[in-house]
Amino acid sequence: MFLINCPYCGERDQQEFKAGGEAHIERPKQPTELSDDEWAEYLFMRKNIKGVQFERWNHAHGCRKWFNMVRDTSNDEIKAIYKMGEKPPAQ
Amino acid sequence: MRNKYSVFSLIKNALSYHENWQRAWKDPNPKKEYDAVIVGGGGHGLATAYYLAKKYKMNNIAVVEKGWIGGGNTGRNTTIIRSNYLWDASAGLYDHALKIWEGLSQELNYNVMFSQRGVMNLAHNLQDVRDLKRRTHANRLNGIDAVYLSTEEVKKFCPIINTSPDIRYPVLGGTLQRRAGTARHDAVAWGYARGADAMGVDIIQNCEVKGIKRNGDSVEGIETTKGFIKTKKVGVVAAGHSSVIANMAGLRLPLESKPLQALVSEPVKPIIDTVVMSNAVHAYVSQSDKGELVIGAGTDDYVSYTQKGSHQIVEGTLNAILELYPIFSRMRMLRQWGGIVDICPDASPILSKTSIKGLYFNCGWGTGGFKATPGSGDLFAHTIANDEPHKLNAAFNLNRFVSGDLVDEHGAAAVAH
């Protein structure tokens, strides 16, 4: 359990939020031309990093807005939070 | 040579104040080369090594473990064993394991305290009722014992459950698998370790894998904290850390690692003589032989390797436990912990070859791998020895995420997800 600094509402308890998985997985631009392998990669394969990972979170029981988070999964320390559409900070 | 455990060895060692028991396994340094190396000394990894040595006569093998054996999820789960899964592929896999459990203590000459006390799954809404009835029929068609119980029958089988219709999630019925039950989780790891060691397997603890050396598309060996080990076959059984090992080999897996929590109470006299699982509210209870209530909770929804988990998860589980078992309201909890579970999108495991020759993965067991330990080891040993899956684990290949042939047990099997 940890505190999350929602870019719209400020610091709130983590249980107000919903984790949305790995960030910056781009939807294929030409879905009809994708091979099965490429579909599997897009849909299912995940980095699942032990260490610094880029994620999407949703303030589900608050403003209900989505945003991005850089978090160390080995100790749950939050490194950075930035809005959707913004460039991820350099790590 | 291993001395046999028996009532006579117990008496003999009692006479010397239990100070001269033979070591259960050696503590060797790694050799330069092995025919195969298993990464991960939990129940599944040790069972794999045991069956590789026993059935496939691969005795020049090693198990490398970054901590101590059985110190990961093997020692952190709630020890529930059952095989009442919905789909044919899962039923085959888990019932194969259950059949091995039934003779495991005798085979290993190690008491794994397998207790077929039955596992009951509760239904709390009409969809649960429909799902559980469907699963009962599917189980019986697959030759797995299962019965559907009415609310009254649930109450009769486990009288301390609150079956009042006024509670938030009333008990509308349940299923019962009588062959299911529990086992002593540590003993499973220790029994397999002792058995494997006796056949010449090197069990190397405090040895963390740091890299996987490849020559093109084949495995050449592993880099560890105890040096380089040359081998042509690497079987990875690293549970929550499977993706970490896969990344070393340049592979990606369809896994997310999340904390799953459990807790135990202070020990009390026998009060619940079965296992009751309530998937809709994430509350799982049994009682250990020491008398502690063993309670399982749900997973957090974010990726984490912290082995802790969030407080609101256990709070939610204990709310549900208190409503279902008002008699536990003044129990005190002694310990709480988390284990990192690797969850597949279809909530079924992966026992598979990979695109790299000689590299095999046994992972994705998610929240319910303990029950499968003997079967998983047996089938993974077959896969490694023959470089081909056994027919019982053929469906659990990595390629199913490309072909779309998923084994979709999510929710359907009354499993915690």
Side-chain angles (χ1 to χ4, degrees):
Chain A
M1 184 180 265
F2 39 85
L3 292 173
I4 295 174
N5 195 3
C6 170
Y8 305 97
C9 310
E11 206 162 69
R12 298 293 180 89
D13 194 298
Q14 169 241 320
Q15 65 173 312
E16 291 185 14
F17 297 82
K18 176 94 186 124
E22 192 178 317
H24 307 297
I25 299 175
E26 215 173 305
R27 191 176 161 78
K29 290 206 169 57
Q30 304 281 347
T32 49
E33 287 165 26
L34 240 49
S35 69
D36 288 352
D37 279 312
E38 288 165 328
W39 267 120
E41 191 68 22
Y42 167 68
L43 280 176
F44 297 126
M45 301 303 164
R46 293 292 176 264
K47 289 179 186 156
N48 197 24
I49 293 168
K50 183 181 188 179
V52 176
Q53 167 157 298
F54 292 73
E55 301 174 330
R56 297 176 305 171
W57 284 73
N58 178 237
H59 195 180
H61 299 287
C63 61
R64 302 185 65 189
K65 287 197 173 84
W66 285 89
F67 57 92
N68 291 309
M69 186 191 289
V70 187
R71 194 171 57 92
D72 189 333
T73 61
S74 66
N75 57 14
D76 288 343
E77 190 186 319
I78 298 170
K79 303 280 187 191
I81 285 176
Y82 54 102
K83 292 179 182 173
M84 283 289 162
E86 287 180 1
K87 276 212 158 143
Q91 283 293 316
Chain B
M1 187 59 204
R2 286 280 165 279
N3 295 339
K4 197 172 182 314
Y5 290 155
S6 67
V7 67
F8 303 108
S9 71
L10 193 62
I11 294 167
K12 188 177 146 215
N13 282 283
L15 295 174
S16 56
Y17 303 99
H18 296 295
E19 284 173 357
N20 298 315
W21 283 100
Q22 186 186 33
R23 267 193 95 124
W25 53 85
K26 300 181 290 288
D27 188 21
N29 279 315
K31 290 186 220 163
K32 285 203 165 52
E33 184 174 356
Y34 290 100
D35 295 336
V37 175
I38 305 300
V39 179
H44 289 241
L46 293 164
T48 305
Y50 175 84
Y51 293 113
L52 272 173
K54 187 178 177 204
K55 290 174 97 168
Y56 305 100
K57 306 297 169 213
M58 290 178 67
N59 302 88
N60 182 33
I61 62 173
V63 178
V64 295
E65 163 57 45
K66 72 172 172 177
W68 63 94
I69 60 165
N73 292 353
T74 302
R76 290 166 188 268
N77 63 79
T78 52
T79 78
I80 299 171
I81 294 163
R82 60 186 180 85
S83 65
N84 53 356
Y85 280 72
L86 176 70
W87 299 111
D88 293 353
S90 315
L93 179 68
Y94 291 99
D95 209 52
H96 177 62
L98 185 50
K99 284 179 188 134
I100 303 176
W101 277 114
E102 287 173 332
L104 191 61
S105 292
Q106 286 73 20
E107 178 177 343
L108 294 178
N109 178 227
Y110 204 104
N111 187 3
V112 299
M113 296 163 81
F114 179 51
S115 158
Q116 290 175 297
R117 59 184 70 183
V119 169
M120 194 158 66
N121 289 96
L122 300 182
H124 294 287
N125 54 51
L126 289 175
Q127 190 58 44
D128 278 359
V129 171
R130 286 189 284 263
D131 286 346
L132 292 189
K133 281 186 176 165
R134 177 189 181 203
R135 183 160 60 75
T136 307
H137 294 312
N139 289 161
R140 292 166 83 154
L141 286 171
N142 274 319
I144 293 168
D145 70 305
V147 282
Y148 188 81
L149 306 178
S150 66
T151 307
E152 295 71 35
E153 288 166 327
V154 167
K155 182 79 179 168
K156 199 172 165 213
F157 189 70
C158 185
I160 61 170
I161 294 181
N162 179 7
T163 51
S164 157
D166 314 331
I167 63 175
R168 176 65 184 85
Y169 297 102
V171 177
L172 302 183
T175 63
L176 175 63
Q177 185 181 20
R178 289 183 192 276
R179 283 164 64 230
T182 59
R184 171 99 172 99
H185 48 10
D186 298 318
V188 178
W190 298 335
Y192 273 122
R194 179 170 170 265
D197 180 274
M199 291 182 285
V201 176
D202 279 355
I203 296 164
I204 304 156
Q205 303 182 70
N206 299 308
C207 181
E208 185 175 351
V209 173
K210 290 291 185 188
I212 291 179
K213 193 172 174 213
R214 286 167 56 178
N215 179 7
D217 281 336
S218 313
V219 166
E220 280 204 322
I222 52 171
E223 292 289 350
T224 75
T225 48
K226 292 191 174 179
F228 179 72
I229 301 172
K230 196 174 164 191
T231 182
K232 286 198 169 71
K233 290 189 173 193
V234 176
V236 182
V237 202
H241 282 70
S242 298
S243 298
V244 176
I245 308 278
N247 288 340
M248 293 173 188
L251 278 182
R252 292 226 293 171
L253 295 174
L255 296 175
E256 285 194 310
S257 297
K258 298 174 176 180
L260 175 67
Q261 294 178 81
L263 56 166
V264 295
S265 73
E266 59 191 340
V268 290
K269 287 185 177 175
I271 181 71
I272 179 165
D273 62 357
T274 184
V275 182
V276 185
M277 304 180 66
S278 191
N279 309 284
V281 293
H282 280 308
Y284 314 93
V285 195
S286 63
Q287 191 172 17
S288 73
D289 291 356
K290 276 189 287 185
E292 303 154 321
L293 294 180
V294 181
I295 295 173
T299 54
D300 277 294
D301 67 345
Y302 54 89
V303 170
S304 179
Y305 288 83
T306 55
Q307 294 187 326
K308 284 192 297 204
S310 302
H311 181 72
Q312 76 265 17
I313 302 280
V314 271
E315 199 177 17
T317 290
L318 289 176
N319 283 341
I321 295 272
L322 286 186
E323 191 168 69
L324 279 173
Y325 312 89
I327 194 174
F328 295 155
S329 66
R330 296 175 71 185
M331 293 284 287
R332 283 168 295 191
M333 293 298 144
L334 278 192
R335 300 190 305 281
Q336 169 274 347
W337 63 91
I340 303 306
V341 297
D342 43 328
I343 302 176
C344 267
D346 59 354
S348 286
I350 297 166
L351 290 112
S352 180
K353 296 162 66 169
T354 63
S355 53
I356 300 166
K357 191 170 161 41
L359 184 63
Y360 308 85
F361 270 86
N362 181 352
C363 59
W365 290 95
T367 58
F370 176 72
K371 64 174 81 71
T373 305
S376 157
D378 183 36
L379 299 173
F380 198 45
H382 181 283
T383 308
I384 293 173
N386 299 307
D387 197 35
E388 276 303 323
H390 187 277
K391 68 179 187 330
L392 286 175
N393 69 309
F396 299 95
N397 62 68
L398 196 47
N399 197 51
R400 73 179 188 265
F401 298 96
V402 176
S403 67
D405 197 9
L406 303 180
V407 187
D408 190 7
E409 285 287 346
H410 241 303
V415 203
H417 296 298

